[in-house]
Amino acid sequence: MGLTVFRYRRRTVLAIIAIVLLLLITLWRTAEWAERIGLENLHERAQHDLSLFVAHLQGELARYQSLPTLLATEEVLAGVFQNPDHNVNLVNRHLKTINDIVDAADIYLMDATGLTVAASNWNTSRPFVGRNFGFRPYFQEAMQGQLGRYYALGTTSKERGYYFAYPIRRKGYTLGAVVVKISLDVIESAWGDDGNAFIVTDPDGVIFITTRSEWKFNTLKALPRERIARIKASRRYGDTDLPPLPVVTQRPFADQARILRLREPIQGASAKTRQVTYLMQGRAMLDAGWKVHVLSNLAPVRKQVFNATLLAGFVFALLVLTTLFVRLRQQNAVALRRARDQLEQRVKERTADLSESNKRLRREIVERNRAEEDLRQTQDELIQAAKLAGIGQMSAGINHELNQPLSAIRSYADNARALMDRNRQDEAQWNLVQIAELTERMAQIIKQLKLFARKTSEQTTPVSLQGSIDAALSLLATRIHREQARVIRDLPIQDCLVLGDAVRLEQVFVNLIVNALDSMSNSEYRELSIKTVIHDNAQVTVSLRDTGPGIPESHLSRIFDPFFTTKEAGQGLGLGLSISYRIIDGWGGVLKAVNHPEGGAIFYLDLPLVPIQEEADVLTEEAAASHG
Ligand code: ADP
């Protein structure tokens, strides 16, 4: 049993571990799969956004790219260098007009030394006119006869700009250059949102266009100090420090793409930062010398992963529950079947047991019957023995009883003969009548003795209680009389019939009365009171109370035992009460003894009464029999 439980527990634990492992693997695989799909989608979408942004940038630059070349052909500009009296103001206005039309930041004219001689912003608070930008690479490139391109933080305007410069050449001489500057601040404002951030980096990895202002002039990775010094010397980005982006971790994702985790300030909480993960992918813009990147926030992917994992967990749980449910039902069915089998088996066993115990019972009944038979026989023998003993006991009395009438008869006979000799017929007649009466009485006594000694049958018949008591009293009349015992007989007039045997019932009363007389042998006053009480017309109790010493407490439980006697040897066998008890018990009655509080013993004899109806029937039958 214990081993089974242990095995069962172990199996359950293993199953739980397996389920948990399976769940973890499922969740993990789902998360992995969802992340891959999410990232691929994001990658694709971001590529598309990137293309759009690059196209937008290219378009923006392309709009201005040919403008300096065009302006360089204008004589009004070249005139500034060819004719000292040339009206520069006119040129300034012309440049402003063009600048306004094409919506550039600034357009200006530089001489061969890099000094700005005319500019569209000539009348603003910070005009370029008079300033030398000869150090700028776009100027140097233009001076070499090419289209100069450059992007930088304006030294005067402090605005980030893209510069196109083209030389003004006349008759084989390069007179100067015309420069168109476009503002890059405008480009940023229209792009970028929560999900996507765009950045444009130079070959050093410096971010100079970005839709996220906090990243402006950060570098993709930390630059060596001498490199920073060189960039600073070029004055491209003014005095800015060029710190690296706050990258926490990064890993490659695909070609030209990687996953970056950045520390970002939380808006509204100045000191606090959070970490945000981006998928970053870049594309080179060779013309401009830039690299454009798009950083896509992974939050939506994370959310998708979470949702997918949750769904997978849910589906898994559902599957497990369904499986469990099915299994439980199967197990239940198995358990039910097993229980039914066990029950059947047990019923079979019980049936076998029962039939076995039935057999045993039957055997016991047979044995019991035999024992009962033996007992009855023994009892009969005992009764017989007791009777004989009783006869022995009574023989003295009987002797007296018979001897007395015998001697009387003898003297009456003598008298009669003498009287007849004297021919006194009448007197002789009287004596003969006396003799006849005496023989009648003797016959009576002998009849009683015969009745007592007779062995009785087992059958019970309605017997008159009063009749039995009177018969017993009459049997013992001589002794009662001799011992001067007073008998109070308080019995109902109507016959009480009990189911029993006349001889035995009489014997019971003889026993009880003899015992009472014996007990009172030393008493001063001898009184035997016999009373009858009827209960509910169904039960009768006969009480026999004597004025003897009563029964000692210690004997009360033993007096009904066979051979228990307190009488001298030869006086009693100790069988009387035990036989009486058995007789009464055999008829469904009770015989018990108590002591009266005022002295003397009381014997109670309870017997069921024959119901009136039955009694009437019996009487009728008897009457019919006697008539028949
Ligand atoms: P026996 O009369 O041969 O002794 P019983 O079975 O009739 O046998 O009585 C058993 C004993 O019960 C008697 O010896 C006596 O001690 C006690 N006993 C019976 N009847 C009475 C009585 N009425 N008063 C006192 N003792 C009694």
Side-chain angles (χ1 to χ4, degrees):
M1 183 72 183
L3 201 69
T4 324
V5 170
F6 175 71
R7 248 187 235 146
Y8 181 73
R9 283 224 185 110
R10 223 181 66 167
R11 257 178 39 199
T12 313
V13 167
L14 282 180
I16 288 172
I17 289 174
I19 287 171
V20 168
L21 273 179
L22 212 65
L23 174 69
L24 288 179
I25 290 171
T26 308
L27 293 184
W28 177 53
R29 300 291 299 190
T30 310
E32 220 180 36
W33 170 79
E35 191 181 35
R36 205 183 63 234
I37 300 281
L39 279 175
E40 274 167 13
N41 284 344
L42 192 70
H43 182 66
E44 215 169 287
R45 231 180 12 250
Q47 279 290 341
H48 180 244
D49 291 346
L50 190 62
S51 301
L52 281 181
F53 189 63
V54 167
H56 168 72
L57 280 179
Q58 274 170 339
E60 204 65 17
L61 296 182
R63 268 172 63 195
Y64 300 97
Q65 188 176 336
S66 47
L67 188 60
T69 319
L70 192 70
L71 286 174
T73 59
E74 285 198 19
E75 287 312 320
V76 66
L77 298 187
V80 175
F81 307 116
Q82 289 168 332
N83 180 5
D85 299 331
H86 198 80
N87 191 344
V88 177
N89 250 347
L90 201 76
V91 177
N92 281 336
R93 275 202 208 95
H94 180 63
L95 289 178
K96 180 165 180 359
T97 309
I98 293 170
N99 190 52
D100 289 348
I101 292 169
V102 300
D103 198 20
D106 295 299
I107 302 177
Y108 48 101
L109 193 64
M110 298 164 88
D111 69 8
T113 65
L115 183 74
T116 309
V117 291
S120 59
N121 62 3
W122 56 281
N123 60 352
T124 60
S125 57
R126 279 197 218 151
F128 290 172
V129 181
R131 297 183 61 99
N132 194 311
F133 299 117
F135 63 93
R136 290 296 203 193
Y138 62 81
F139 172 72
Q140 286 152 19
E141 279 172 30
M143 282 300 118
Q144 282 159 23
Q146 307 160 8
L147 174 70
R149 320 167 61 118
Y150 193 60
Y151 44 91
L153 185 67
T155 48
T156 314
S157 64
K158 301 291 176 208
E159 268 185 11
R160 285 163 304 156
Y162 197 93
Y163 302 83
F164 289 106
Y166 200 77
I168 299 177
R169 294 155 63 97
R170 293 291 185 274
K171 297 174 188 143
Y173 293 100
T174 303
L175 305 176
V178 60
V179 184
V180 175
K181 179 189 173 189
I182 40 179
S183 168
L184 294 178
D185 293 356
V186 193
I187 294 175
E188 288 173 346
S189 56
W191 290 78
D193 54 32
D194 280 354
N196 283 335
F198 293 97
I199 57 174
V200 180
T201 54
D202 71 5
D204 287 318
V206 178
I207 300 167
F208 72 94
I209 298 179
T210 168
T211 54
R212 298 281 286 271
S213 57
E214 70 267 26
W215 296 341
K216 202 195 281 178
F217 300 124
N218 281 18
T219 56
L220 283 184
K221 46 183 171 241
L223 296 180
R225 203 172 302 151
E226 52 283 9
R227 189 105 153 252
I228 291 177
R230 184 167 52 73
I231 294 169
K232 274 194 174 174
S234 77
R235 294 166 68 190
R236 191 174 201 169
Y237 305 119
D239 299 330
T240 46
D241 282 335
L242 308 175
L245 264 184
V247 177
V248 185
T249 57
Q250 57 175 311
R251 62 184 163 96
F253 172 69
D255 184 36
Q256 301 276 353
R258 56 198 153 133
I259 290 170
L260 276 190
R261 183 184 283 253
L262 295 183
R263 199 168 27 247
E264 287 183 1
I266 296 173
Q267 272 170 3
S270 55
K272 288 187 187 153
T273 58
R274 60 175 179 171
Q275 296 193 352
V276 185
T277 314
Y278 293 97
L279 171 68
M280 181 171 104
Q281 41 198 322
R283 193 175 299 166
M285 255 176 82
L286 293 174
D287 284 356
W290 294 341
K291 194 162 180 189
V292 183
H293 307 262
V294 59
L295 281 84
S296 314
N297 197 331
L298 284 192
V301 176
R302 291 275 151 83
K303 206 163 175 190
Q304 273 171 26
V305 169
F306 178 75
N307 286 344
T309 314
L310 204 70
L311 190 71
F314 186 72
V315 170
F316 186 88
L318 208 70
L319 268 174
V320 167
L321 283 181
T322 313
T323 314
L324 267 182
F325 180 71
V326 169
R327 263 198 72 86
L328 257 176
R329 281 192 60 158
Q330 280 171 351
Q331 274 176 359
N332 266 359
V334 169
L336 265 175
R337 204 173 314 129
R338 199 176 298 152
R340 206 188 49 218
D341 290 353
Q342 270 176 3
L343 199 72
E344 266 170 22
Q345 180 61 26
R346 240 191 258 154
V347 167
K348 262 186 217 153
E349 282 168 14
R350 290 291 295 181
T351 315
D353 279 2
L354 272 177
S355 51
E356 177 54 33
S357 60
N358 239 6
K359 262 187 223 154
R360 212 168 44 233
L361 262 177
R362 231 173 274 138
R363 268 204 305 278
E364 264 169 30
I365 287 171
V366 170
E367 273 165 30
R368 257 254 156 81
N369 283 344
R370 198 177 301 140
E372 222 166 74
E373 186 53 40
D374 288 354
L375 200 72
R376 203 170 298 129
Q377 216 167 320
T378 318
Q379 197 174 310
D380 285 349
E381 282 161 13
L382 278 175
I383 289 168
Q384 218 37 41
K387 272 184 201 164
L388 292 176
I391 289 168
Q393 243 180 4
M394 280 187 291
S395 61
I398 291 161
N399 249 356
H400 172 81
E401 202 74 14
L402 295 180
N403 276 339
Q404 203 193 14
L406 267 180
S407 50
I409 286 171
R410 196 176 302 130
S411 46
Y412 281 132
D414 289 347
N415 282 351
R417 198 172 52 215
L419 286 171
M420 278 167 94
D421 286 347
R422 286 178 219 151
N423 222 0
R424 285 157 67 174
Q425 291 295 331
D426 289 348
E427 284 166 84
Q429 186 84 20
W430 182 85
N431 275 302
L432 287 174
V433 170
Q434 295 307 309
I435 289 170
E437 272 178 15
L438 280 170
T439 51
E440 178 59 31
R441 191 172 152 210
M442 283 172 74
Q444 201 70 40
I445 291 167
I446 289 162
K447 189 181 147 201
Q448 297 266 353
L449 274 176
K450 251 163 72 183
L451 208 65
F452 185 77
R454 195 179 70 198
K455 219 176 168 187
T456 52
S457 67
E458 282 308 312
Q459 265 149 18
T460 55
T461 50
V463 181
S464 162
L465 199 67
Q466 288 98 326
S468 303
I469 294 171
D470 286 340
L473 282 174
S474 132
L475 255 178
L476 298 166
T478 323
R479 181 170 170 197
I480 293 168
H481 181 69
R482 191 178 61 231
E483 291 179 6
Q484 292 179 343
R486 183 165 173 238
V487 175
I488 299 173
R489 183 183 166 285
D490 184 3
L491 306 178
I493 301 158
Q494 192 207 347
D495 237 354
C496 296
L497 290 187
V498 294
L499 268 187
D501 176 280
V503 179
R504 290 196 169 190
L505 189 58
E506 196 182 301
Q507 189 188 348
V508 169
F509 284 119
V510 167
N511 279 341
L512 293 176
I513 297 167
V514 165
N515 277 347
L517 292 174
D518 285 349
S519 78
M520 294 189 292
S521 58
N522 292 324
S523 301
E524 263 176 41
Y525 176 66
R526 304 185 181 109
E527 183 186 284
L528 172 64
S529 134
I530 307 174
K531 283 187 185 169
T532 311
V533 181
I534 296 173
H535 315 278
D536 298 333
N537 222 5
Q539 193 88 14
V540 62
T541 304
V542 184
S543 64
L544 295 100
R545 183 189 164 193
D546 59 52
T547 53
I551 308 158
E553 262 332 287
S554 57
H555 291 173
L556 268 178
S557 59
R558 296 165 59 202
I559 53 172
F560 294 104
D561 293 348
F563 303 106
F564 176 79
T565 179
T566 55
K567 294 168 191 168
E568 283 166 28
Q571 291 275 315
L573 286 170
L575 287 173
L577 283 183
S578 82
I579 289 168
S580 302
Y581 184 90
R582 278 175 198 282
I583 290 170
I584 299 303
D585 186 56
W587 297 335
V590 177
L591 178 62
K592 61 186 177 195
V594 294
N595 283 316
H596 193 278
E598 285 163 26
I602 313 179
F603 280 82
Y604 289 109
L605 193 159
D606 279 346
L607 273 174
L609 269 180
V610 177
I612 301 287
Q613 184 54 42
E614 243 176 76
E615 189 183 330
D617 290 350
V618 168
L619 285 178
T620 333
E621 271 169 33
E622 269 178 6
S626 66
H627 276 101

